[in-house]
Amino acid sequence: LRYKSQFLYPTLQSCCCRTIHSDAKPKDPFTLAQKDLTSLYDDIKKELFVSKEELKSLCDYYFDGKGKAIRPMIVVLMARALNIHSNRAGDLIPGQRSIAMISEMIHTASLVHDDVIDGSDKRRGKKTINDVWGERKAILAGDFILSAASMALARIGNNTVVKVLSQVIEDLVRGEFMQLGSKENENERFKHYLEKTFKKTASLIANSCKAVSILVNSDPEVHEIAYQYGRNVGIAFQLVDDVLDFTSGANHLGKPSAADLKLGLATGPVLFACQQFPELHAMIMRRFSSDGDVDRAWQYVLQSDGVQQTNYLAQRYCEEAIRQVSMLRPSPERDALIKLTELVLTRDK
């Protein structure tokens, strides 16, 4: 279904445009959020103001404007959609823009630390901070970015928002701990994987969406819609990421493929494949550490329908995200959030 929709869509668009005014088709999420994101990285660099030259270059390293900025984009679009829903002008209020910035800072700090834990030497097509400056300095850089994010968070001056975004940092740590352990029981394993995925990836998006809703609306049901959209899109995003580890060429992803297997991680495609090839069970338990495990597991996954099943699951999560956000009043931003779920499913890097 995923591939089908990719080919169908361009033809659908071209014939719609002739009959309907072009405003009728959902605006590209990137274009719509662009205005609020243009100076995002520059503003983050201002938050990271340090006099010590080396620390500055470490902290600025990933804020080079080359990332996908998918998290702040979702936050910006959600904020505008919620503002319109709450009978306000669509424009962001300063606190909401800060939350978009903070979400990218927390995300980046977690990448810096993850790369140390995983011993990675490549990220976004360039060398990792730990590869260039060493592990000790990388850990300190991650800490420093987090502390700058915490200061920016405190400046928003809303206790509930502080609580919601602090939850993200706790989840990131717990998620990383979950990833370091694994489950013996097969049924528990999938639950463990999805919970880890929520904590490591989706919590940030869910709670950032919730935080921007708290600033403009006092209705807990609206907070829940924002949170559930972020949660479901976040999980779908990571499921697709786990698929791309098997289907995308290394140069495409900016990091080596089969990276997860090499790290000893059993993601969705492997867990689904294990139902067809029970031989994978022992490999998962020893974290693909024996000679030839990685290659054999790779082969099993490609022979199974693990990739299709994981894609299908991602689709289910996207459908739930759409169901949630559709409860908001119609607006170009709301429609862009719906369109974004399609981009999450069809991305190839």
Side-chain angles (χ1 to χ4, degrees):
L1 206 121
R2 185 179 150 198
Y3 301 107
K4 206 163 126 192
S5 66
Q6 253 173 308
F7 298 120
L8 274 177
Y9 208 71
T11 50
L12 273 176
Q13 273 187 330
S14 54
C15 58
C16 291
C17 298
R18 284 190 214 114
T19 48
I20 309 169
H21 190 254
S22 63
D23 281 357
K25 80 172 197 289
K27 279 226 177 76
D28 167 48
F30 294 92
T31 319
L32 208 49
Q34 201 48 51
K35 183 169 75 88
D36 291 306
L37 293 178
T38 36
S39 58
L40 181 93
Y41 288 108
D42 291 335
D43 292 348
I44 287 176
K45 285 179 184 173
K46 284 179 199 148
E47 290 292 331
L48 295 166
F49 189 76
V50 259
S51 49
K52 198 166 179 318
E53 210 37 59
E54 189 182 28
L55 183 56
K56 179 144 189 57
S57 45
L58 261 110
C59 291
D60 289 354
Y61 188 71
Y62 285 144
F63 298 115
D64 55 3
K66 302 236 168 71
K68 292 188 283 283
I70 203 112
R71 288 155 189 83
M73 180 175 67
I74 292 173
V75 174
V76 161
L77 292 172
M78 180 58 80
R80 288 168 153 269
L82 288 160
N83 293 354
I84 291 164
H85 181 78
S86 313
N87 297 319
R88 294 169 170 260
D91 289 343
L92 294 195
I93 59 173
Q96 290 174 325
R97 196 167 184 287
S98 298
I99 290 166
M101 206 164 70
I102 291 162
S103 73
E104 188 66 357
M105 290 168 82
I106 293 174
H107 169 59
T108 305
S110 76
L111 297 185
V112 175
H113 283 165
D114 279 0
D115 286 341
V116 173
I117 291 167
D118 298 341
S120 307
D121 57 0
K122 274 256 189 316
R123 159 88 54 192
R124 292 176 180 170
K126 61 183 195 178
K127 286 182 160 194
T128 54
I129 291 186
N130 44 297
D131 197 49
V132 180
W133 285 279
E135 291 192 348
R136 291 173 187 170
K137 285 176 178 169
I139 291 167
L140 295 172
D143 288 346
F144 186 78
I145 295 167
L146 263 184
S147 72
S150 306
M151 305 254 291
L153 180 55
R155 275 205 303 278
I156 295 172
N158 182 306
N159 262 341
T160 316
V161 167
V162 170
K163 210 154 78 185
V164 163
L165 287 177
S166 302
Q167 181 65 48
V168 171
I169 301 173
E170 181 188 322
D171 284 343
L172 283 167
V173 176
R174 286 182 186 273
E176 195 59 53
F177 261 102
M178 287 179 79
Q179 186 162 293
L180 295 172
S182 56
K183 286 276 176 266
E184 175 80 51
N185 175 328
E186 280 190 49
N187 300 333
E188 274 182 16
R189 206 183 275 151
F190 213 93
K191 200 169 143 256
H192 184 264
Y193 163 67
L194 286 175
E195 195 183 330
K196 178 215 78 176
T197 299
F198 167 74
K199 284 183 161 47
K200 277 201 64 169
T201 306
S203 171
L204 175 63
I205 304 173
N207 284 300
S208 302
C209 286
K210 183 177 181 176
V212 289
S213 76
I214 289 165
L215 291 180
V216 290
N217 197 304
S218 56
D219 182 355
E221 284 184 21
V222 173
H223 302 167
E224 189 61 14
I225 290 169
Y227 177 88
Q228 288 300 339
Y229 174 83
R231 175 181 168 272
N232 283 284
V233 159
I235 293 174
F237 185 86
Q238 187 57 47
L239 289 170
V240 171
D241 214 57
D242 293 345
V243 161
L244 289 174
D245 201 45
F246 289 95
T247 58
S248 183
N251 49 353
H252 228 52
L253 273 186
K255 56 184 180 189
S257 47
D260 292 333
L261 284 178
K262 288 169 191 156
L263 287 171
L265 303 179
T267 56
V270 181
L271 297 177
F272 277 124
C274 192
Q275 294 169 1
Q276 282 165 277
F277 299 103
E279 303 91 311
L280 276 164
H281 178 73
M283 291 189 222
I284 293 170
M285 287 317 295
R286 60 176 181 259
R287 290 181 153 259
F288 314 107
S289 57
S290 298
D291 270 359
D293 275 2
V294 168
D295 290 332
R296 289 219 316 286
W298 173 272
Q299 288 306 322
Y300 280 134
V301 168
L302 296 185
Q303 285 166 40
S304 74
D305 57 7
V307 161
Q308 292 87 320
Q309 293 224 51
T310 310
N311 273 331
Y312 180 71
L313 187 60
Q315 224 171 327
R316 294 275 80 82
Y317 277 103
C318 280
E319 283 162 13
E320 179 57 20
I322 293 169
R323 195 183 73 78
Q324 292 285 344
V325 83
S326 298
M327 296 180 206
L328 297 180
R329 179 180 295 180
S331 65
E333 284 79 6
R334 185 201 74 165
D335 294 345
L337 287 168
I338 292 171
K339 171 105 176 109
L340 191 75
T341 62
E342 183 195 324
L343 299 179
V344 162
L345 291 172
T346 52
R347 73 194 178 98
D348 56 5
K349 62 176 179 189

